[in-house]
Coordinates of all heavy atoms in Angstrom, one line a residue:
R1 N -20.8 -48.2 53.5 CA -19.6 -48.0 52.7 C -19.8 -47.5 51.3 O -19.2 -46.6 50.8 CB -18.7 -49.2 52.7 CG -18.3 -49.6 54.1 CD -17.3 -50.8 54.0 NE -16.0 -50.4 54.5 CZ -15.0 -51.0 54.4 NH1 -14.9 -52.1 53.7 NH2 -13.8 -50.6 54.9
V2 N -20.8 -48.2 50.7 CA -21.1 -47.9 49.3 C -21.6 -46.5 49.1 O -21.2 -45.7 48.3 CB -22.1 -48.9 48.8 CG1 -22.6 -48.4 47.4 CG2 -21.5 -50.3 48.8
L3 N -22.4 -46.0 50.1 CA -23.0 -44.6 50.0 C -21.9 -43.6 50.2 O -21.8 -42.6 49.4 CB -24.1 -44.5 51.1 CG -24.7 -43.0 51.1 CD1 -25.4 -42.8 49.7 CD2 -25.7 -43.0 52.3
D4 N -21.1 -43.8 51.1 CA -20.0 -42.7 51.4 C -19.0 -42.7 50.2 O -18.6 -41.6 49.9 CB -19.3 -43.1 52.8 CG -20.2 -42.6 53.9 OD1 -20.8 -41.5 53.9 OD2 -20.2 -43.4 54.9
T5 N -18.7 -43.9 49.7 CA -17.8 -43.9 48.5 C -18.4 -43.2 47.3 O -17.8 -42.4 46.6 CB -17.6 -45.4 48.1 OG1 -16.9 -46.0 49.2 CG2 -16.7 -45.5 46.8
A6 N -19.8 -43.4 47.1 CA -20.5 -42.7 46.1 C -20.5 -41.2 46.3 O -20.4 -40.4 45.4 CB -21.9 -43.2 46.0
I7 N -20.7 -40.8 47.5 CA -20.7 -39.3 47.8 C -19.3 -38.7 47.6 O -19.2 -37.6 47.0 CB -21.1 -39.1 49.4 CG1 -22.6 -39.5 49.6 CG2 -20.8 -37.7 49.8 CD1 -23.0 -39.5 51.0
I8 N -18.2 -39.4 47.9 CA -16.9 -38.9 47.7 C -16.8 -38.7 46.2 O -16.3 -37.6 45.6 CB -15.8 -39.8 48.2 CG1 -15.9 -39.7 49.7 CG2 -14.4 -39.4 47.7 CD1 -15.1 -40.7 50.4
K9 N -17.1 -39.7 45.4 CA -16.9 -39.6 43.9 C -17.9 -38.4 43.4 O -17.4 -37.7 42.5 CB -17.3 -41.0 43.2 CG -16.3 -42.0 43.5 CD -16.8 -43.4 42.9 CE -15.7 -44.4 43.0 NZ -16.0 -45.6 42.3
L10 N -19.0 -38.4 43.9 CA -19.9 -37.3 43.4 C -19.3 -36.0 43.6 O -19.4 -35.0 42.8 CB -21.3 -37.4 44.0 CG -22.3 -36.3 43.6 CD1 -22.6 -36.4 42.2 CD2 -23.6 -36.5 44.4
L11 N -18.8 -35.7 44.9 CA -18.2 -34.4 45.3 C -17.0 -34.1 44.4 O -16.8 -32.9 44.0 CB -17.9 -34.4 46.7 CG -19.0 -34.5 47.7 CD1 -18.5 -34.6 49.2 CD2 -19.8 -33.2 47.6
V12 N -16.2 -35.2 44.0 CA -15.1 -35.0 43.1 C -15.6 -34.5 41.7 O -15.1 -33.6 41.1 CB -14.3 -36.3 43.0 CG1 -13.2 -36.2 41.8 CG2 -13.4 -36.5 44.3
D13 N -16.7 -35.3 41.2 CA -17.2 -35.0 39.9 C -17.8 -33.6 39.9 O -17.6 -32.9 38.8 CB -18.2 -36.0 39.5 CG -17.5 -37.4 39.2 OD1 -16.3 -37.5 39.1 OD2 -18.3 -38.4 39.2
L14 N -18.4 -33.1 40.9 CA -18.9 -31.8 40.9 C -17.9 -30.7 41.2 O -18.3 -29.5 41.2 CB -20.1 -31.8 42.0 CG -21.3 -32.6 41.7 CD1 -22.3 -32.6 42.8 CD2 -22.0 -32.2 40.3
Q15 N -16.7 -31.2 41.5 CA -15.7 -30.2 42.0 C -16.1 -29.4 43.1 O -15.9 -28.2 43.2 CB -15.2 -29.4 40.8 CG -14.6 -30.1 39.7 CD -14.2 -29.3 38.4 OE1 -14.4 -28.1 38.5 NE2 -13.6 -29.9 37.5
S16 N -16.8 -30.0 44.1 CA -17.4 -29.4 45.2 C -16.4 -29.0 46.3 O -15.5 -29.9 46.7 CB -18.5 -30.3 45.8 OG -18.9 -29.7 47.0
P17 N -16.4 -27.8 46.8 CA -15.5 -27.5 47.9 C -15.9 -28.2 49.2 O -15.2 -28.2 50.1 CB -15.7 -26.0 48.0 CG -17.0 -25.6 47.4 CD -17.2 -26.7 46.4
Q18 N -17.1 -28.8 49.2 CA -17.5 -29.6 50.3 C -16.8 -30.9 50.5 O -16.9 -31.6 51.5 CB -19.0 -29.8 50.3 CG -19.7 -28.5 50.4 CD -21.2 -28.7 50.4 OE1 -21.7 -29.6 49.7 NE2 -21.9 -27.9 51.0
L19 N -15.9 -31.3 49.4 CA -15.2 -32.6 49.5 C -14.3 -32.6 50.7 O -14.2 -33.6 51.5 CB -14.4 -32.8 48.2 CG -13.5 -34.0 48.2 CD1 -14.2 -35.3 48.3 CD2 -12.7 -34.0 46.9
N20 N -13.5 -31.5 50.9 CA -12.6 -31.5 52.0 C -13.4 -31.5 53.4 O -12.9 -32.2 54.3 CB -11.8 -30.2 52.0 CG -10.8 -30.2 50.9 OD1 -10.5 -31.2 50.2 ND2 -10.1 -29.0 50.7
E21 N -14.4 -30.8 53.5 CA -15.3 -30.9 54.6 C -15.7 -32.3 54.9 O -15.7 -32.8 56.0 CB -16.5 -29.9 54.5 CG -17.3 -29.8 55.8 CD -18.5 -28.8 55.5 OE1 -18.2 -27.8 54.8 OE2 -19.5 -29.0 56.1
F22 N -16.3 -32.9 53.8 CA -16.7 -34.3 54.0 C -15.6 -35.2 54.5 O -15.8 -36.1 55.4 CB -17.3 -34.9 52.7 CG -18.0 -36.2 52.8 CD1 -19.2 -36.4 53.4 CD2 -17.3 -37.4 52.4 CE1 -19.8 -37.6 53.5 CE2 -17.9 -38.6 52.5 CZ -19.1 -38.7 53.0
L23 N -14.4 -35.1 53.9 CA -13.3 -36.0 54.3 C -12.8 -35.7 55.7 O -12.2 -36.5 56.3 CB -12.2 -35.9 53.3 CG -12.5 -36.3 51.9 CD1 -11.3 -36.0 51.0 CD2 -12.7 -37.8 51.9
N24 N -13.2 -34.5 56.3 CA -12.8 -34.2 57.6 C -13.9 -34.5 58.7 O -13.9 -34.0 59.8 CB -12.4 -32.7 57.7 CG -11.0 -32.5 57.2 OD1 -10.1 -33.2 57.4 ND2 -10.9 -31.4 56.4
T25 N -14.8 -35.4 58.4 CA -15.8 -35.8 59.3 C -15.2 -36.6 60.4 O -14.2 -37.2 60.2 CB -17.0 -36.6 58.6 OG1 -16.3 -37.8 58.0 CG2 -17.7 -35.9 57.5
P26 N -15.9 -36.7 61.6 CA -15.4 -37.4 62.7 C -15.2 -38.9 62.5 O -14.3 -39.5 63.1 CB -16.4 -37.1 63.8 CG -17.2 -35.9 63.3 CD -17.1 -35.9 61.9
A27 N -16.1 -39.6 61.7 CA -16.0 -41.0 61.5 C -14.8 -41.3 60.7 O -14.4 -40.6 59.7 CB -17.2 -41.4 60.7
P28 N -14.0 -42.3 61.1 CA -12.9 -42.7 60.3 C -13.3 -43.2 58.9 O -14.1 -44.1 58.7 CB -12.3 -44.0 61.1 CG -12.9 -43.9 62.5 CD -14.2 -43.1 62.3
M29 N -12.7 -42.6 57.9 CA -13.1 -42.8 56.5 C -12.9 -44.3 56.1 O -13.6 -44.7 55.3 CB -12.3 -41.9 55.6 CG -12.8 -40.6 55.4 SD -14.4 -40.6 54.6 CE -15.4 -39.6 55.6
N30 N -11.8 -45.0 56.7 CA -11.6 -46.3 56.2 C -12.7 -47.2 56.7 O -12.8 -48.4 56.3 CB -10.2 -46.8 56.7 CG -10.1 -46.9 58.2 OD1 -10.8 -46.1 58.9 ND2 -9.1 -47.5 58.7
Q31 N -13.6 -46.8 57.6 CA -14.6 -47.6 58.1 C -16.0 -47.3 57.4 O -16.9 -48.0 57.5 CB -14.9 -47.4 59.6 CG -13.7 -47.9 60.4 CD -13.9 -47.7 61.9 OE1 -14.9 -47.3 62.4 NE2 -12.9 -48.0 62.6
V32 N -16.0 -46.1 56.7 CA -17.3 -45.7 56.1 C -17.3 -45.6 54.6 O -18.3 -45.5 53.9 CB -17.7 -44.3 56.6 CG1 -18.0 -44.3 58.0 CG2 -16.8 -43.2 56.3
A33 N -16.1 -45.8 54.0 CA -15.9 -45.8 52.5 C -15.0 -46.9 52.1 O -14.2 -47.4 52.9 CB -15.3 -44.4 52.1
D34 N -15.1 -47.4 50.9 CA -14.3 -48.4 50.4 C -13.0 -47.8 50.0 O -12.7 -47.1 49.0 CB -14.9 -49.0 49.1 CG -14.2 -50.1 48.5 OD1 -12.9 -50.2 48.7 OD2 -14.8 -51.0 47.8
K35 N -11.9 -48.1 50.8 CA -10.6 -47.4 50.7 C -9.9 -47.6 49.4 O -9.5 -46.7 48.7 CB -9.7 -47.9 51.8 CG -8.4 -47.1 51.9 CD -7.6 -47.5 53.1 CE -6.4 -46.6 53.2 NZ -5.6 -46.9 54.5
E36 N -10.0 -48.8 48.9 CA -9.3 -49.2 47.6 C -9.9 -48.4 46.5 O -9.3 -47.8 45.7 CB -9.3 -50.6 47.3 CG -8.4 -51.5 48.1 CD -8.4 -52.9 47.9 OE1 -8.8 -53.3 46.7 OE2 -8.0 -53.7 48.8
D37 N -11.3 -48.4 46.5 CA -12.1 -47.7 45.4 C -11.8 -46.2 45.5 O -11.5 -45.6 44.4 CB -13.6 -48.0 45.6 CG -14.4 -47.6 44.4 OD1 -13.8 -47.3 43.3 OD2 -15.6 -47.7 44.5
V38 N -11.9 -45.6 46.7 CA -11.7 -44.2 46.8 C -10.3 -43.7 46.5 O -10.1 -42.8 45.7 CB -12.1 -43.7 48.2 CG1 -11.6 -42.3 48.5 CG2 -13.5 -43.9 48.5
V39 N -9.3 -44.5 46.9 CA -8.0 -44.2 46.6 C -7.7 -44.2 45.1 O -7.1 -43.2 44.5 CB -6.9 -45.1 47.4 CG1 -5.5 -45.0 46.8 CG2 -6.9 -44.8 48.9
A40 N -8.1 -45.3 44.4 CA -8.0 -45.4 42.9 C -8.7 -44.2 42.2 O -8.1 -43.7 41.3 CB -8.5 -46.7 42.5
Y41 N -9.9 -43.9 42.7 CA -10.6 -42.8 42.0 C -9.9 -41.4 42.2 O -9.8 -40.7 41.3 CB -12.1 -42.8 42.5 CG -13.0 -41.9 41.7 CD1 -13.3 -42.4 40.4 CD2 -13.4 -40.6 42.1 CE1 -14.2 -41.6 39.7 CE2 -14.1 -39.9 41.4 CZ -14.6 -40.4 40.0 OH -15.3 -39.5 39.3
L42 N -9.5 -41.2 43.4 CA -8.8 -39.9 43.6 C -7.5 -39.8 42.8 O -7.3 -38.7 42.4 CB -8.6 -39.7 45.1 CG -9.9 -39.6 46.0 CD1 -9.5 -39.5 47.5 CD2 -10.6 -38.3 45.6
K43 N -6.8 -40.9 42.8 CA -5.6 -40.7 41.9 C -6.0 -40.6 40.5 O -5.3 -39.9 39.7 CB -4.8 -42.1 42.1 CG -4.0 -42.2 43.4 CD -3.3 -43.5 43.5 CE -2.5 -43.6 44.8 NZ -1.7 -44.9 44.9
E44 N -7.0 -41.4 40.0 CA -7.4 -41.3 38.6 C -7.8 -39.8 38.2 O -7.5 -39.4 37.1 CB -8.6 -42.2 38.4 CG -9.2 -42.2 37.0 CD -10.3 -43.2 37.0 OE1 -10.2 -44.3 37.5 OE2 -11.4 -42.7 36.4
T45 N -8.4 -39.1 39.1 CA -8.9 -37.8 38.9 C -8.0 -36.7 39.4 O -8.2 -35.5 39.4 CB -10.3 -37.6 39.5 OG1 -10.2 -37.9 41.0 CG2 -11.3 -38.5 38.8
N46 N -6.7 -37.1 39.7 CA -5.7 -36.2 40.2 C -6.1 -35.3 41.4 O -5.6 -34.2 41.6 CB -5.2 -35.3 39.0 CG -4.6 -36.1 37.9 OD1 -3.8 -37.0 38.2 ND2 -5.0 -35.8 36.7
Q47 N -6.8 -35.9 42.3 CA -7.2 -35.2 43.5 C -6.3 -35.6 44.6 O -6.6 -36.2 45.6 CB -8.7 -35.5 43.8 CG -9.7 -35.2 42.8 CD -9.8 -33.8 42.6 OE1 -9.9 -33.0 43.6 NE2 -9.8 -33.2 41.4
Y48 N -5.1 -35.0 44.5 CA -4.1 -35.5 45.6 C -4.2 -34.9 46.9 O -3.9 -35.5 47.8 CB -2.6 -35.2 44.9 CG -2.4 -36.0 43.7 CD1 -2.4 -35.4 42.5 CD2 -2.2 -37.4 43.8 CE1 -2.3 -36.3 41.4 CE2 -2.0 -38.2 42.8 CZ -2.0 -37.6 41.5 OH -1.8 -38.4 40.4
N49 N -4.7 -33.7 46.9 CA -5.0 -33.1 48.3 C -6.1 -33.8 49.0 O -6.0 -34.1 50.1 CB -5.2 -31.6 48.2 CG -5.4 -31.0 49.6 OD1 -4.5 -31.0 50.4 ND2 -6.6 -30.4 49.8
A50 N -7.1 -34.1 48.2 CA -8.3 -34.8 48.8 C -7.8 -36.3 49.1 O -8.3 -36.8 50.2 CB -9.4 -35.0 47.8
L51 N -6.9 -36.9 48.3 CA -6.3 -38.2 48.7 C -5.5 -38.2 50.0 O -5.6 -39.1 50.9 CB -5.4 -38.7 47.6 CG -4.7 -40.0 47.8 CD1 -5.6 -41.1 47.9 CD2 -3.6 -40.2 46.6
A52 N -4.7 -37.1 50.2 CA -4.0 -37.0 51.5 C -4.9 -36.8 52.7 O -4.8 -37.4 53.7 CB -3.0 -35.8 51.3
L53 N -6.0 -36.0 52.4 CA -7.0 -35.8 53.5 C -7.7 -37.2 53.7 O -8.0 -37.5 54.9 CB -8.1 -34.7 53.0 CG -7.5 -33.3 53.0 CD1 -8.6 -32.4 52.4 CD2 -7.0 -32.9 54.4
F54 N -8.0 -37.9 52.8 CA -8.7 -39.2 52.9 C -7.8 -40.1 53.8 O -8.2 -40.8 54.7 CB -9.0 -39.8 51.6 CG -9.7 -41.2 51.7 CD1 -11.0 -41.3 52.0 CD2 -8.9 -42.4 51.5 CE1 -11.6 -42.5 52.1 CE2 -9.5 -43.6 51.7 CZ -10.9 -43.7 52.0
F55 N -6.5 -40.1 53.4 CA -5.6 -40.9 54.2 C -5.5 -40.5 55.6 O -5.6 -41.4 56.5 CB -4.2 -41.0 53.6 CG -3.9 -41.8 52.4 CD1 -3.2 -41.4 51.2 CD2 -4.5 -43.1 52.3 CE1 -3.0 -42.2 50.2 CE2 -4.3 -44.0 51.3 CZ -3.5 -43.5 50.1
G56 N -5.5 -39.2 55.8 CA -5.5 -38.7 57.2 C -6.8 -39.1 58.0 O -6.7 -39.5 59.1
A57 N -7.9 -38.9 57.3 CA -9.1 -39.2 57.9 C -9.3 -40.7 58.2 O -10.1 -41.2 59.0 CB -10.3 -38.8 57.1
S58 N -8.5 -41.5 57.4 CA -8.4 -43.0 57.6 C -7.4 -43.4 58.7 O -7.2 -44.6 59.0 CB -8.1 -43.7 56.3 OG -9.1 -43.4 55.3
G59 N -6.7 -42.4 59.3 CA -5.8 -42.7 60.3 C -4.4 -43.1 59.8 O -3.5 -43.3 60.5
D60 N -4.2 -42.9 58.5 CA -2.9 -43.3 57.8 C -2.2 -42.0 57.6 O -2.1 -41.5 56.4 CB -3.2 -44.1 56.6 CG -2.0 -44.8 56.1 OD1 -0.9 -44.3 56.5 OD2 -2.1 -45.6 55.2
Y61 N -1.7 -41.4 58.6 CA -1.0 -40.1 58.5 C 0.3 -40.2 57.7 O 0.6 -39.3 57.1 CB -0.8 -39.6 59.9 CG -2.0 -39.5 60.8 CD1 -2.2 -40.4 61.9 CD2 -3.1 -38.7 60.4 CE1 -3.3 -40.3 62.6 CE2 -4.3 -38.6 61.1 CZ -4.4 -39.5 62.3 OH -5.5 -39.5 63.0
T62 N 1.0 -41.3 57.8 CA 2.2 -41.4 57.1 C 1.9 -41.3 55.6 O 2.6 -40.6 54.9 CB 2.9 -42.8 57.4 OG1 3.2 -42.7 58.8 CG2 4.3 -42.9 56.6
Q63 N 0.9 -42.0 55.1 CA 0.6 -42.0 53.7 C 0.1 -40.6 53.3 O 0.4 -40.1 52.2 CB -0.4 -43.1 53.3 CG 0.2 -44.4 53.0 CD -0.7 -45.2 52.1 OE1 -1.8 -45.5 52.5 NE2 -0.2 -45.6 51.0
A64 N -0.7 -39.9 54.1 CA -1.1 -38.5 53.9 C 0.1 -37.6 53.7 O 0.1 -36.9 52.8 CB -2.0 -38.0 55.0
L65 N 1.0 -37.7 54.5 CA 2.3 -36.9 54.5 C 3.1 -37.2 53.2 O 3.6 -36.3 52.6 CB 3.1 -37.0 55.7 CG 2.5 -36.4 57.0 CD1 3.3 -36.7 58.2 CD2 2.3 -34.8 56.8
D66 N 3.1 -38.5 52.9 CA 3.8 -38.9 51.7 C 3.2 -38.4 50.4 O 4.0 -37.9 49.6 CB 3.8 -40.4 51.6 CG 4.9 -41.1 52.6 OD1 5.7 -40.4 53.1 OD2 4.7 -42.3 52.8
V67 N 2.0 -38.2 50.4 CA 1.2 -37.7 49.2 C 1.6 -36.2 49.1 O 2.0 -35.8 48.0 CB -0.3 -37.9 49.3 CG1 -1.0 -37.1 48.2 CG2 -0.7 -39.4 49.2
W68 N 1.5 -35.5 50.2 CA 1.8 -34.1 50.1 C 3.3 -33.8 49.9 O 3.7 -32.9 49.1 CB 1.4 -33.4 51.4 CG 0.0 -33.1 51.6 CD1 -0.8 -32.6 50.6 CD2 -0.8 -33.3 52.8 NE1 -2.1 -32.5 51.1 CE2 -2.2 -32.9 52.4 CE3 -0.6 -33.7 54.0 CZ2 -3.2 -32.9 53.3 CZ3 -1.7 -33.7 54.9 CH2 -2.9 -33.4 54.6
R69 N 4.2 -34.7 50.4 CA 5.6 -34.6 50.1 C 5.9 -34.8 48.6 O 6.6 -34.1 48.0 CB 6.4 -35.6 51.0 CG 7.9 -35.5 50.8 CD 8.7 -36.5 51.6 NE 8.1 -37.8 51.5 CZ 8.3 -38.8 50.5 NH1 9.0 -38.4 49.4 NH2 7.8 -39.9 50.5
E70 N 5.3 -35.9 48.1 CA 5.5 -36.2 46.7 C 5.1 -35.0 45.8 O 5.7 -34.7 44.8 CB 4.8 -37.5 46.3 CG 5.5 -38.7 46.9 CD 4.7 -40.0 46.7 OE1 3.7 -40.0 45.9 OE2 4.9 -41.1 47.4
Q71 N 3.9 -34.5 46.1 CA 3.4 -33.4 45.3 C 4.4 -32.1 45.4 O 4.6 -31.5 44.4 CB 2.0 -33.0 45.7 CG 1.0 -34.0 45.3 CD 1.0 -34.2 43.8 OE1 0.8 -33.4 43.0 NE2 1.2 -35.5 43.5
G72 N 4.9 -32.0 46.6 CA 5.8 -30.8 46.7 C 7.1 -31.0 46.0 O 7.7 -30.0 45.6
Q73 N 7.5 -32.2 45.9 CA 8.9 -32.5 45.2 C 8.7 -32.8 43.8 O 9.7 -32.8 43.1 CB 9.5 -33.9 45.9 CG 9.9 -33.7 47.3 CD 10.4 -34.9 47.9 OE1 10.3 -36.0 47.4 NE2 11.1 -34.8 49.1
S74 N 7.5 -32.9 43.3 CA 7.3 -33.3 41.9 C 7.6 -32.1 40.9 O 7.9 -32.3 39.8 CB 5.9 -33.8 41.6 OG 5.0 -32.7 41.8
G75 N 7.5 -30.9 41.5 CA 7.7 -29.7 40.7 C 6.6 -29.4 39.8 O 6.7 -28.4 38.9
Q76 N 5.5 -30.1 39.9 CA 4.4 -29.9 39.1 C 3.4 -28.9 39.7 O 3.5 -28.8 41.0 CB 3.5 -31.2 38.9 CG 4.2 -32.3 38.1 CD 3.4 -33.5 37.9 OE1 2.4 -33.6 38.6 NE2 4.0 -34.4 37.2
E77 N 2.7 -28.1 39.0 CA 1.7 -27.2 39.5 C 0.8 -28.0 40.3 O 0.2 -29.0 39.9 CB 1.0 -26.6 38.3 CG -0.2 -25.6 38.8 CD 0.2 -24.2 38.9 OE1 1.3 -23.8 38.4 OE2 -0.5 -23.4 39.4
Y78 N 0.5 -27.5 41.6 CA -0.3 -28.4 42.5 C -1.6 -27.6 42.7 O -1.8 -26.7 43.5 CB 0.3 -28.6 43.8 CG -0.5 -29.3 44.8 CD1 -0.8 -30.7 44.5 CD2 -1.0 -28.8 45.9 CE1 -1.6 -31.4 45.4 CE2 -1.8 -29.5 46.8 CZ -2.0 -30.8 46.6 OH -2.9 -31.5 47.4
D79 N -2.6 -27.9 41.8 CA -3.9 -27.3 42.0 C -5.0 -28.3 41.5 O -5.3 -28.3 40.4 CB -4.0 -26.0 41.2 CG -5.4 -25.3 41.3 OD1 -6.1 -25.7 42.3 OD2 -5.6 -24.4 40.6
D80 N -5.4 -29.1 42.4 CA -6.5 -30.0 42.1 C -7.9 -29.4 42.4 O -8.9 -30.1 42.4 CB -6.4 -31.3 42.8 CG -6.5 -31.3 44.3 OD1 -6.8 -30.2 44.9 OD2 -6.3 -32.2 45.0
G81 N -7.9 -28.1 42.7 CA -9.1 -27.4 43.0 C -9.7 -27.6 44.4 O -10.7 -27.0 44.8
S82 N -9.0 -28.3 45.2 CA -9.5 -28.6 46.5 C -8.9 -27.7 47.6 O -9.3 -27.7 48.7 CB -9.2 -30.1 47.0 OG -7.9 -30.3 46.9
I83 N -7.9 -26.8 47.2 CA -7.4 -25.9 48.1 C -7.8 -24.5 47.6 O -7.5 -24.1 46.6 CB -5.8 -25.9 48.1 CG1 -5.4 -27.3 48.5 CG2 -5.2 -24.9 49.0 CD1 -3.9 -27.5 48.4
P84 N -8.6 -23.8 48.5 CA -9.1 -22.4 48.1 C -8.0 -21.4 47.9 O -7.0 -21.6 48.6 CB -10.0 -22.1 49.3 CG -9.7 -22.9 50.5 CD -8.9 -24.2 49.9
G85 N -8.2 -20.5 47.1 CA -7.3 -19.4 46.9 C -6.5 -19.7 45.7 O -5.6 -19.5 45.1

């Protein structure tokens, strides 16, 4: 858990496009990373798309959709760097 949590944080800090790929790994994220730590870090760094992907990879699809819905309704520019284009 500690290693995967550290990898997620490193990918965020490096603004790596591989973050999304890592979050879409077959292993359930809630079993390989410290969910509370990762969620807090992604919120702190405004990585909301990555947060939604993390929730989805953890099997929490409702929270994933809630994150995307809140971002869509907030009226704020949505660009955490994790969506290409």
Side-chain angles (χ1 to χ4, degrees):
R1 295 183 120 195
V2 173
L3 180 61
D4 287 317
T5 300
I7 290 171
I8 291 170
K9 288 180 174 184
L10 179 63
L11 292 172
V12 168
D13 290 345
L14 294 174
Q15 299 179 357
S16 174
Q18 294 176 331
L19 176 61
N20 291 350
E21 185 178 326
F22 184 78
L23 291 173
N24 285 320
T25 58
M29 276 293 132
N30 61 342
Q31 294 178 9
V32 298
D34 182 331
K35 188 172 184 177
E36 288 181 22
D37 192 11
V38 170
V39 168
Y41 192 74
L42 292 174
K43 286 180 178 180
E44 177 183 314
T45 56
N46 298 316
Q47 298 294 315
Y48 294 106
N49 185 58
L51 177 62
L53 291 173
F54 180 78
F55 282 137
S58 299
D60 194 345
Y61 305 112
T62 301
Q63 278 202 298
L65 292 172
D66 285 345
V67 170
W68 281 318
R69 181 182 46 77
E70 288 171 16
Q71 288 304 301
Q73 291 177 348
S74 71
Q76 296 177 355
E77 176 99 9
Y78 181 66
D79 182 13
D80 66 4
S82 64
I83 300 175

